[in-house]
């Protein structure tokens, strides 16, 4: 279908410390015992998209990610890994691989997207409107635990998610305004001429930019080349394209028009005008056309391009893993309500449970984990090869691989990374424990972030 | 309704005037011009069994509904060998894994991370990269789909490691290992046999064509027989088209096509199985129109969108046009036809003949599969049917000796020629003719938005004629507003009204100009619903009705009412008013058993109401349509 897929997997993220480390870059952060990148790649594979470019920040991270992909998708995907320097932003990452982009349209997906929205739908919307950029919007996920009976501290973390302000036309097909993240604190500026052309704009704050975009390649490369300062797709490039959609620089359309002219060279120019006129008259005019016409309706004076939006239906699942809270939410949802995202079983083949140990619903136990007697696990994810002693209580938590938990520990609302050792009678509440940390016997922590000091 | 329905079984065609006749004007002509061609008379017994007759006699490719091709099955088998340029399909991939020989087993180990990931970061090695601060990064292949040998890698960078083994070509894909010469010989033999059979009588060859058509119309069945047989029948088909043909016989087979009857449950089930577009049928359908497809609107588009990357054999341009048909972004006979042809042009340009196939056969099958996809998106218009027939004829007529690039260039120029001659130039000629009928002081009425009528009005305005335009429109599409907008912008003086008021406005009108989706050989004008009503009112007021229609939209079919062939639109469109949330009287009633919504798209205007048809061959009375059909066909389609 002449689409190329770029997965921006990222590398390190300050939002997610101490969960990620040198050994575990962000794409490999396990969500329900699978690296978060798996969800994106799996989704793409299901959509029959098998030629991917995965962009990873940092060489070490690329090495890890590449190793994991070659192990996991050994025969199902054709993946190319590109390592880019850190801190060049999403736009910089695309700039770095821009010379590899050859297809007509480019689908850019963030590697931390956990979603069941088919990428084909975005691509089809993009094609149907012949848009310069199509962004996928989804409803803002409810952050925080739904059943927050366990702790009062939850309410603190359940602050409203960062709003995006998104303007749509009345048909909800075109993107008229987009302001994200940090821009919102400042005053937001609407483009008067866009508002004038459309007549009506719907401003929504309940939609989130899911960071899945379809770009026309020529437009994307043009913008990347011209605007050297643009750092981020979401905050620079997409808003720029949306802003300039009614007066885009000539070159944006010049290319596509040249292509059209190439197609039509056999018919005389006069007839070609007629053909395009018949086609244009037959379709419902969007607000772009009247604007690009002179008042007498004859000549196209201004170049326009279309910015479309694909709004995922409210029943679909779509969350980005960009904060600790999102990490907890996704872990909970993937084992619970959105379990269709995982294709295989939830409880691994060989967990060893002691007597009188109960594992509640919405739980996941990795293979090779052992649990002692009289343990309780509720709404938690436990990784592979964990050793858990007896009388341990784990609620609303994520325990990654190779964790040793001593007898009598209580873990609530916490994340315990790989290779952590919890000695006996440790109590953790809303804590984050970095990889390889050792919590000594009998300690109690509440709402702290524990990580091994880097040597 | 009851008296009318009983009347339909009566063989007197005069009683079949469903609603469009003023009592003062008894029809004399509804059957007065017998169709010239022999075949048309035969299935045209004016009883309601007409449709079934079509089924039986329909043993030819129809201009309107071309069945999906029988090539699907064999295609997957050939996939291993053919040059894949688009993303690889799931099924072909799985088919491939079966045959991977053992030397492939070291793929995972060779992809171990320590050896594999080579992050090259030398900006100098990529002089093409602009002067951005970011060094160009190199791609590293870490996971490789096992591709068939010979695949051209698009994005493979310098350091990307391709793991491709030479593996034995599957024996299965070589089921027809015949060389070109051998196939040629086979074809010659068949041709000889056929000539002999023809000498004996027509029976044998008609049996042969039976095979062809059964393969064409029922691909689910045709996929089952061995491919050798399938190929054989296709040989016969292509040969029949290329080689010497008996015109009489072919014409006979060109009977109206058996359209799918959607009240035939078993057939609908079969069609659904091979459908690409998910089609959920609406529950409450109007009794009289149950044989027409009516789907739940709103479910098709999202479903088709999600399958975007899965429909591998579909060309992106064709897919895009299909989406636009489905969503209503493109409408109107000419525009749909042009859009389709432009998509086909793209598809032909990107086409490359798979090995061991001939372009003529494979491309015809490919086009057929595109067409069946487009049909699923929206039923074809007559204009598109004729255009497709033209294209297929052109493909069939290609000399075998032509190289692939030459053949493609020929086809592309043929398509361009068709668009030029049949649509663009034809419209210009129509405009030239029609403008002579506009005099100063005229009040012209038009209905809906016809591209030909629009050009006539604009041209007359440019010539400085003084006239006024009445644009009559109707819900739910309100296409007239678009026309009105363009006319007013050009400075024409216009009146805009809805079809409800047509009887009042008709008093001052001096001429009615109408567009048409198709003109049938009994003079019936098949057009946007409401046209018949306008024409009838004009007739009653003795206002001449001029129908503007390009000759490529003419069809030899005969249709007496707008029931047996029609298209159903979205019923929601008439139960809701767009932009008026407060008009919600039907909310909650839509799914009631005893409420049936009918949103017809076309209607048939009897020839009695049409004073003249303006076409690119001149201005003709409706009775002369068969002549045009005959001459036009002979000149352009059968030659």
């Amino acid at each position: 279908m002449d689409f190329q897929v770029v997965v921006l997997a990222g590398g390190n993220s300050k939002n997610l410390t101490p969960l990620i480390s040198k050994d575990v870059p962000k794409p490999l952060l396990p969500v329900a015992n699978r690296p978060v990148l798996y969800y994106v790649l799996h989704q793409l594979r299901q959509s029959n998209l098998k030629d991917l470019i995965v962009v990873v920040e940092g060489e070490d991270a690329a090495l890890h990610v590449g190793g994991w992909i070659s192990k996991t998708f050994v025969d199902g995907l054709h993946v190319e890994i590109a390592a880019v320097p850190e801190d060049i932003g999403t736009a910089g990452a695309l700039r770095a691989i821009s010379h590899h982009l050859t297809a007509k349209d480019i689908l850019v997906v963030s590697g931390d997207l956990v979603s069941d929205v088919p990428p084909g739908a975005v691509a089809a919307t993009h094609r149907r409107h012949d848009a310069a950029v199509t962004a996928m919007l989804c409803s803002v996920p409810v952050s925080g635990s739904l059943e927050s009976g366990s702790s009062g501290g939850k309410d603190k973390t359940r602050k409203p998610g960062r709003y995006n302000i998104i303007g749509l036309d009345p048909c909800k097909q075109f993107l008229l305004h987009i302001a994200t993240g940090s821009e919102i604190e400042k005053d937001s500026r609407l483009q008067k001429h866009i508002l004038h052309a459309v007549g009506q704009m719907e401003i929504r704050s309940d939609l989130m930019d899911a960071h899945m975009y379809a770009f026309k390649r020529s437009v994307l490369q043009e913008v990347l080349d011209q605007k050297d300062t643009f750092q981020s797709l979401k905050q620079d490039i997409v808003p720029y394209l949306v802003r300039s959609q009614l007066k885009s620089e000539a070159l944006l359309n010049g290319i596509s028009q040249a292509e059209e002219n190439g197609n039509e060279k056999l018919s005389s120019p006069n007839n070609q005008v007629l053909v395009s006129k018949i086609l244009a008259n037959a379709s419902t005019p969007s607000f772009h056309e009247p604007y690009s016409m002179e008042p007498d309706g004859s000549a196209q004076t201004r170049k326009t391009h279309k910015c479309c939006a694909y709004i995922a239906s409210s029943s679909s699942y779509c969350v980005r893993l960009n904060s600790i809270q999102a990490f907890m939410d996704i872990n909970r949802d993937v084992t619970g309500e959105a379990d269709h995202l995982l294709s295989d079983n939830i409880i691994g083949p060989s967990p060893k449970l002691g007597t009188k140990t109960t594992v509640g619903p919405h739980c996941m136990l990795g293979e090779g984990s052992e649990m002692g007697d009289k343990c309780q696990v509720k709404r938690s994810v436990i990784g592979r090869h964990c050793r858990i002693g007896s009388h341990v209580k784990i609620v609303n938590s994520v325990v990654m691989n190779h964790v040793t938990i001593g007898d009598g520990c209580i873990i609530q609302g916490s994340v315990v990374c790989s290779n952590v050792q919890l000695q006996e009678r440790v109590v953790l509440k809303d804590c984050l424990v970095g990889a390889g940390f050792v919590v000594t016997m009998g300690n109690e922590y509440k709402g702290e972030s524990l990580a091994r000091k880097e040597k | 309704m009851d008296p009318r329905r009983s009347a339909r079984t009566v063989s007197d065609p005069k009683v079949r005037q469903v609603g469009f006749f003023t009592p003062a004007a008894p029809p004399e002509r509804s059957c007065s011009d017998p169709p010239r061609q022999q075949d048309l008379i035969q299935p045209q017994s004016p009883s309601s069994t007409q449709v079934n007759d079509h089924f039986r006699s329909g043993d030819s490719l129809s201009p309107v509904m071309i069945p999906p091709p029988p090539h699907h099955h064999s295609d997957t088998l050939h996939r291993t060998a053919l040059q894949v340029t688009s993303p690889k399909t799931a099924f072909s991939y799985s088919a491939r894994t079966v045959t991977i020989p053992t030397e492939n087993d070291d793929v995972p180990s060779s992809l171990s991370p320590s050896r594999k990931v080579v992050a090259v970061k030398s900006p100098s090695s990529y002089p093409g990269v602009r002067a951005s601060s970011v060094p160009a990064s190199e791609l590293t292949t870490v996971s490789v789909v096992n591709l068939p040998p010979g695949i051209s890698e698009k994005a493979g960078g310098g350091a990307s490691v391709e793991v491709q083994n030479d593996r034995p070509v599957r024996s299965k894909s070589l089921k027809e290992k015949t060389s070109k010469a051998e196939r040629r010989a086979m074809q010659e033999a068949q041709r000889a046999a056929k000539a002999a059979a023809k000498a004996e009588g027509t029976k044998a060859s008609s049996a042969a064509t039976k095979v062809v058509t059964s393969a064409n119309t029922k691909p689910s069945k045709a996929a089952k027989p061995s491919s050798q047989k399938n190929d054989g029948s296709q040989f016969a088909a292509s040969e029949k088209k290329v080689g010497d043909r008996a015109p009489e016989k072919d014409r006979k087979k060109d009977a109206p096509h058996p359209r799918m009857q959607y009240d035939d449950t078993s057939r609908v089930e079969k069609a659904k199985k091979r459908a690409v577009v998910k089609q959920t049928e609406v529950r409450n359908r109007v009794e009289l129109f149950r044989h027409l497809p009516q789907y739940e609107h709103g479910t098709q588009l999202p479903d088709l969108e999600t399958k975007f990357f899965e429909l591998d054999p579909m060309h992106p341009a064709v897919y895009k046009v299909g989406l636009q048909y489905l969503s209503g972004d493109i409408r109107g006979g000419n525009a749909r036809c042009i859009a389709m042809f432009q998509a086909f042009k793209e598809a032909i340009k990107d086409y490359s003949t798979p090995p061991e196939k001939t372009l003529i056969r494979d491309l015809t099958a490919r086009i057929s599969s595109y067409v069946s996809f487009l049909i699923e998106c929206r039923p074809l218009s007559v204009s598109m049917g004729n255009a497709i027939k033209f294209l297929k004829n052109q493909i069939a007529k290609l000399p075998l000796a032509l190289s692939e690039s030459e053949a493609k260039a020929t086809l592309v120029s043929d398509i361009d020629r068709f668009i030029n001659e049949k649509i663009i130039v034809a419209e210009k000629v129509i405009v030239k003719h029609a403008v002579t009928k506009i005099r100063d002081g005229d009040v012209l009425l038009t209905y809906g938005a016809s591209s030909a009528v629009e050009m006539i009005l604009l041209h007359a305005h440019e010539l400085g004629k003084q006239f006024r335009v009445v644009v009559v429109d109707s819900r739910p599409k309100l296409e007239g507003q678009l026309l009105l907008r363009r006319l007013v912008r050009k400075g024409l003086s216009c009146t805009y009204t809805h079809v409800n008021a047509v009887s009042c406005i008709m008093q001052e009108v001096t001429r009615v100009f109408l567009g048409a989706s198709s003109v049938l050989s009994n003079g019936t004008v098949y057009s946007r619903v409401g046209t018949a009503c306008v024409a009838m009112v004009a007739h009653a007021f003795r206002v001449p009705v001029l129908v503007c229609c390009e000759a490529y939209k003419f069809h030899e079919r005969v249709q007496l009412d707008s029931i047996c062939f029609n298209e159903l639109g979205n019923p929601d469109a008439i139960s809701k008013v767009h932009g008026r949330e407060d008009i919600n009287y039907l909310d909650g009633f839509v799914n009631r058993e005893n409420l049936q919504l009918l949103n017809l798209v076309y209607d048939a205007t009897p020839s009695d109401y049409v004073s003249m048809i303006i076409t690119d061959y001149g201005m003709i009375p409706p009775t002369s349509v068969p002549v045009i059909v005959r001459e036009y066909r002979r000149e352009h389609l059968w030659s």
Side-chain angles (χ1 to χ4, degrees):
Chain A
M1 282 297 175
D2 211 7
F3 258 90
Q4 235 176 334
V5 183
V6 178
V7 179
L8 298 177
N12 293 313
S13 158
K14 292 186 188 76
N15 289 338
L16 288 172
T17 46
L19 299 190
I20 57 179
S21 59
K22 259 191 144 179
D23 299 327
V24 185
K26 185 179 171 188
L28 297 185
L29 185 64
V31 171
N33 290 341
R34 287 175 183 283
V36 61
L37 192 58
Y38 172 84
Y39 294 91
V40 171
L41 298 186
H42 180 68
Q43 176 80 18
L44 291 170
R45 182 168 62 170
Q46 279 192 326
S47 306
N48 202 14
L49 285 167
K50 303 202 165 156
D51 272 310
L52 314 175
I53 299 176
V54 175
V55 186
V56 185
E57 284 183 1
E59 275 181 58
D60 294 342
L63 213 66
H64 285 294
V65 174
W68 172 74
I69 291 177
S70 63
K71 255 188 291 177
T72 315
F73 294 96
V74 74
D75 218 16
L77 286 173
H78 183 172
V79 177
E80 322 222 11
I81 293 269
V84 298
E86 295 175 31
D87 298 328
I88 57 171
T90 43
L94 276 181
R95 210 170 276 141
I97 58 152
S98 140
H99 58 284
H100 289 293
L101 303 178
T102 50
K104 188 178 163 207
D105 293 288
I106 311 290
L107 192 69
V108 181
V109 189
S110 170
D112 59 3
L113 185 68
V114 180
S115 150
D116 58 1
V117 180
V122 180
T125 310
H126 182 71
R127 272 289 159 78
R128 180 157 73 87
H129 292 290
D130 201 17
V133 57
T134 302
M136 183 173 103
L137 307 175
C138 59
S139 43
V140 176
V142 188
S143 105
S145 155
L146 288 173
E147 53 267 39
S148 63
S150 57
S151 65
K154 266 281 145 48
D155 290 345
K156 230 190 303 170
T157 51
R158 203 204 296 163
K159 57 188 173 222
R162 222 188 252 162
Y163 283 130
N164 294 317
I165 292 184
I166 286 164
L168 298 169
D169 79 317
C171 309
K172 300 189 176 55
Q173 284 179 330
F174 295 106
L175 210 52
L176 304 180
H177 179 73
I178 186 162
T180 49
S182 54
E183 278 179 56
I184 297 193
E185 266 101 78
K186 294 178 267 173
D187 292 344
S188 211
R189 285 177 163 224
L190 290 183
Q191 300 284 310
K192 194 174 167 190
H193 65 278
I194 293 180
L195 196 58
H196 184 71
V198 186
Q200 200 179 344
M201 188 191 287
E202 194 178 311
I203 302 276
R204 304 269 294 254
S205 63
D206 59 338
L207 290 175
M208 182 187 86
D209 182 357
H211 213 296
M212 183 192 279
Y213 307 107
F215 285 102
K216 201 178 266 183
R217 176 183 55 86
S218 52
V219 172
L220 179 65
Q221 287 180 334
E222 207 61 66
V223 173
L224 287 175
D225 279 350
Q226 297 224 322
K227 309 282 177 182
D228 265 342
T229 53
F230 280 4
Q231 282 277 309
S232 152
L233 268 186
K234 184 173 180 165
Q235 283 166 19
D236 296 324
I237 291 185
V238 173
Y240 166 75
L241 285 173
V242 170
R243 249 189 343 258
S244 62
Q245 58 182 314
L246 287 185
K247 44 180 181 186
S248 61
E249 267 91 274
L251 34 103
L252 291 185
N253 268 9
I255 294 161
S256 65
Q257 245 173 18
E259 284 167 3
E260 276 167 31
N261 288 342
N263 296 340
E264 304 277 336
K265 57 179 176 281
L266 280 169
S267 51
S268 68
N270 188 20
N271 289 349
Q272 184 192 324
V273 170
L274 272 173
V275 167
S276 57
K277 208 169 113 188
I278 289 176
L279 280 179
N281 287 354
S283 57
T284 320
S286 73
F287 58 90
H288 296 93
E289 274 105 46
Y291 199 78
S292 58
M293 299 272 197
E294 284 280 10
D296 65 347
S298 56
Q300 285 219 326
T301 50
R302 274 189 253 218
K303 311 285 185 184
T304 61
H305 61 253
K306 291 179 181 170
C307 299
C308 291
Y310 174 81
I311 301 179
S313 69
S314 53
S315 60
S316 54
Y317 185 78
C318 180
V319 183
R320 284 189 68 195
L321 201 170
N322 48 13
S323 65
I324 303 275
Q325 186 58 50
F327 176 73
M328 299 295 284
D329 291 342
I330 294 173
N331 267 303
R332 187 195 65 224
D333 292 338
V334 166
T335 51
E337 58 194 44
D339 53 356
H340 56 279
L341 290 169
L342 285 173
S343 46
D344 47 4
N345 56 344
I346 285 189
I347 293 194
S350 58
K352 287 182 190 157
L353 303 181
T355 52
K356 292 197 180 172
T357 287
T358 55
V359 178
H362 301 332
C363 282
M364 178 179 242
L365 286 176
E367 59 181 302
S369 287
E370 294 175 15
M371 296 180 77
D373 301 340
K374 294 184 182 171
C375 291
Q376 271 193 341
V377 182
K378 286 180 189 166
R379 295 189 293 274
S380 297
V381 175
I382 294 174
R384 284 182 282 274
H385 304 292
C386 292
R387 292 173 168 278
I388 297 172
S390 48
H391 297 282
V392 174
K393 194 175 169 191
I394 302 174
V395 180
N396 278 334
S397 299
V398 178
V399 177
M400 295 184 191
N401 303 337
H402 302 288
V403 175
T404 311
I405 299 177
D407 294 349
C409 287
I410 298 175
I411 301 166
Q412 275 189 342
S414 303
V415 180
V416 181
C417 290
S418 303
N419 301 322
V420 167
Q421 212 178 338
L422 301 184
Q423 293 176 349
E424 284 153 37
R425 293 188 305 285
V426 168
V427 177
L428 296 175
K429 208 167 178 188
D430 304 324
C431 287
L432 308 171
V433 185
F437 196 76
V438 179
V439 184
T440 46
M441 195 186 299
N443 273 336
E444 284 194 29
Y445 292 102
K446 195 170 175 185
E448 284 185 57
S449 172
L450 310 169
R452 204 167 46 168
K453 286 196 179 93
E454 299 281 342
K455 284 161 199 167
Chain B
M1 181 181 276
D2 265 339
R4 219 179 274 156
R5 278 189 66 75
S6 61
R8 294 188 65 204
T9 55
V10 181
S11 60
D12 181 7
K14 280 184 186 171
V15 213
R16 306 184 94 252
Q17 308 140 5
V18 190
F20 302 135
F21 285 76
T22 41
E28 314 87 19
R29 227 174 27 204
S30 54
C31 224
S32 64
D33 47 337
R36 311 290 154 100
Q37 283 118 4
Q38 196 193 349
D39 57 307
L40 282 178
I41 299 171
Q42 178 220 343
Q44 196 211 333
S45 60
S47 67
S48 54
T49 59
Q50 182 185 3
V51 179
N52 295 333
D53 282 341
H54 289 189
F55 259 118
R56 267 181 258 122
S57 63
D59 52 357
S60 75
L61 284 175
S62 137
V64 181
M65 290 188 106
I66 286 93
H71 79 297
H72 247 301
H73 199 71
S74 58
D75 197 32
T76 55
L77 298 177
H78 276 289
R79 187 55 61 97
T80 42
L82 61 88
Q83 197 103 351
V84 185
T85 49
S86 48
K88 291 94 212 159
T89 51
F91 60 82
S92 65
Y93 158 65
S94 62
R96 247 179 263 128
T97 42
V98 185
T99 62
I100 294 171
T102 44
E103 67 255 43
N104 218 13
D105 285 350
D106 58 350
V107 171
S109 59
S110 78
L111 290 171
S112 63
S114 53
R115 256 212 292 149
K116 277 299 299 171
V117 180
V118 194
V120 182
K121 285 206 296 178
S122 53
S124 58
S125 71
Y126 275 95
V129 182
R130 312 294 150 85
S132 65
S133 56
V134 186
S137 68
E138 188 44 60
L139 296 185
T140 312
T141 310
V142 291
S143 168
V144 181
V145 182
N146 276 301
L147 306 165
I151 275 211
S152 56
E153 272 306 319
K154 268 184 288 181
S160 77
V161 184
E162 299 294 329
V163 183
Q164 284 192 8
N165 300 351
D166 290 344
R167 72 184 71 90
V169 190
R170 298 176 63 199
S171 58
K172 229 179 181 178
S173 71
L174 292 176
K175 59 187 178 329
E176 35 165 20
K177 227 192 243 167
T178 52
S179 71
K180 199 163 190 177
E182 279 171 326
R183 272 180 287 143
R184 196 62 197 262
M186 194 158 78
Q187 210 169 347
E188 291 295 333
Q190 277 174 337
R191 193 170 292 167
K194 195 144 180 235
K198 202 171 284 163
E200 281 176 23
T202 53
K203 254 179 196 161
S205 68
S206 72
T209 49
K210 269 276 159 30
V211 176
V212 176
T213 46
S214 72
N216 272 330
T217 49
K218 293 168 201 154
S220 50
K221 270 189 189 169
K224 276 171 209 157
S226 73
S227 56
Q228 201 65 291
K229 187 180 168 187
N230 204 346
D231 285 349
S233 64
Q234 281 196 353
F235 263 128
S238 63
E239 192 199 347
K240 192 164 63 66
K241 274 174 196 152
V242 182
D244 48 347
R245 68 167 72 79
E248 260 84 42
K249 217 160 15 119
D250 270 35
R251 210 170 299 175
K252 191 172 274 178
K253 270 183 248 104
D254 205 52
H257 181 69
R259 276 223 195 189
M260 176 101 158
Q261 300 296 299
Y262 283 84
D263 43 0
D264 185 344
T265 349
S266 62
R267 272 174 192 277
V268 169
E269 284 306 315
K270 261 186 215 163
K272 243 184 217 167
K273 268 180 210 154
R274 58 167 190 258
V276 175
V277 186
K278 183 180 154 205
Q279 298 169 329
T280 325
E281 282 178 46
V282 170
R283 228 162 18 101
N284 296 340
R285 288 184 292 170
V286 179
E287 170 89 40
L288 210 48
F289 294 93
R290 290 231 170 120
H291 59 285
L292 298 172
Q294 168 89 78
Y295 303 117
E296 297 259 19
H297 283 251
T299 60
Q300 292 170 290
L301 189 58
D303 186 68
L304 187 60
E305 281 183 341
T306 57
K307 281 199 232 159
F308 186 70
F309 291 111
E310 287 150 49
L311 296 173
D312 207 33
M314 208 55 63
H315 191 272
V318 178
Y319 188 90
K320 179 181 166 189
V321 169
L323 273 182
Q324 286 173 330
Y325 287 169
L326 189 57
S327 60
D329 286 349
I330 294 184
R331 53 193 185 219
N334 285 339
R336 277 169 76 193
C337 194
I338 292 175
M340 178 186 74
F341 258 178
Q342 284 181 342
F344 282 174
K345 219 160 72 177
E346 292 298 309
I348 288 174
K349 276 182 193 161
D350 293 348
Y351 172 83
S352 65
T353 317
E356 313 199 354
K357 292 204 173 190
T358 57
L359 180 134
I360 293 177
R361 278 186 293 137
D362 191 62
L363 190 58
T364 312
R366 194 72 68 89
I367 296 282
S368 297
S369 76
Y370 294 157
V371 169
S372 62
F373 168 74
L374 293 181
I375 291 175
E376 283 167 26
C377 293
R378 192 182 158 183
L380 296 188
S381 65
V382 172
S383 57
M384 288 162 72
N386 282 340
I388 291 164
K389 196 173 182 186
F390 165 82
L391 178 60
K392 289 196 166 182
N393 259 301
Q394 294 300 323
I395 297 175
K397 278 198 312 194
L398 287 175
L400 282 171
L402 225 54
S403 78
E404 187 180 308
S405 57
E406 282 171 339
K408 280 158 64 178
T410 317
L411 287 177
V412 167
S413 73
D414 277 340
I415 289 179
D416 277 329
R417 192 165 53 85
F418 186 91
I419 294 179
N420 252 330
E421 282 179 15
K422 298 299 164 206
I423 303 177
I424 304 299
V425 178
E427 284 210 337
K428 285 182 181 161
V429 175
I430 289 175
V431 167
K432 220 187 323 173
H433 287 304
V435 159
T436 62
K437 293 289 169 196
I438 300 180
R439 289 182 304 230
D440 282 350
D442 266 350
V443 179
L444 310 176
L445 183 142
T446 183
Y447 175 74
S450 154
S451 56
V453 171
E454 181 184 348
M455 286 171 71
I456 291 167
L457 297 177
L458 292 179
H459 186 65
H461 181 70
E462 279 166 22
L463 291 182
K465 301 202 175 184
Q466 298 297 315
F467 62 96
R468 218 150 57 75
V469 181
V470 179
V471 178
V472 179
D473 203 357
S474 71
R475 285 205 65 233
K477 292 205 167 161
L478 299 178
E479 289 161 321
Q481 290 191 357
L482 296 175
L483 173 69
L484 188 73
R485 182 196 176 98
R486 293 191 288 265
L487 292 182
V488 168
R489 199 188 271 152
K490 294 270 185 181
L492 278 79
S493 104
C494 295
T495 308
Y496 178 73
T497 182
H498 273 205
V499 75
N500 326 20
V502 72
S503 61
C504 312
I505 202 90
M506 195 59 83
Q507 285 166 353
E508 52 171 324
V509 171
T510 56
R511 259 169 201 50
V512 175
F513 279 93
L514 295 174
S517 169
S518 172
V519 174
L520 309 179
S521 68
N522 62 342
T524 302
V525 174
Y526 186 69
S527 186
R528 167 76 58 224
V529 67
T531 307
C533 170
V534 172
M536 180 178 72
V537 174
H539 182 73
F541 281 89
R542 310 245 180 278
V543 178
V545 176
L546 306 168
V547 173
C548 309
C549 184
E550 299 84 356
Y552 85 105
K553 291 180 180 172
F554 283 31
H555 197 268
E556 75 261 332
R557 196 164 70 200
V558 171
Q559 195 171 332
L560 299 173
D561 54 35
S562 44
I563 297 169
C564 56
F565 297 111
N566 212 321
E567 194 182 324
L568 297 179
N570 182 6
D572 283 347
I574 51 171
S575 65
K576 295 194 179 100
V577 182
H578 181 73
R580 285 288 300 273
E581 302 293 328
D582 52 325
I583 302 181
N584 52 2
Y585 312 118
L586 284 180
D587 277 10
F589 281 80
V590 174
N591 284 326
R592 286 279 191 98
E593 282 290 317
N594 53 352
L595 172 68
Q596 295 158 345
L597 297 167
L598 176 65
N599 180 13
L600 275 181
V601 176
Y602 294 106
D603 66 8
T605 310
S607 58
D608 302 66
Y609 301 150
V610 179
S611 319
M612 189 165 278
I613 294 172
I614 305 177
T615 168
D616 32 341
Y617 292 97
M619 288 182 277
I620 56 166
T623 44
S624 304
V625 172
V627 181
I628 298 282
V629 170
R630 192 180 60 217
E631 298 300 317
Y632 171 69
R633 297 262 140 173
R634 177 170 297 163
E635 182 187 342
H636 297 285
L637 296 182
W638 287 345
S639 57

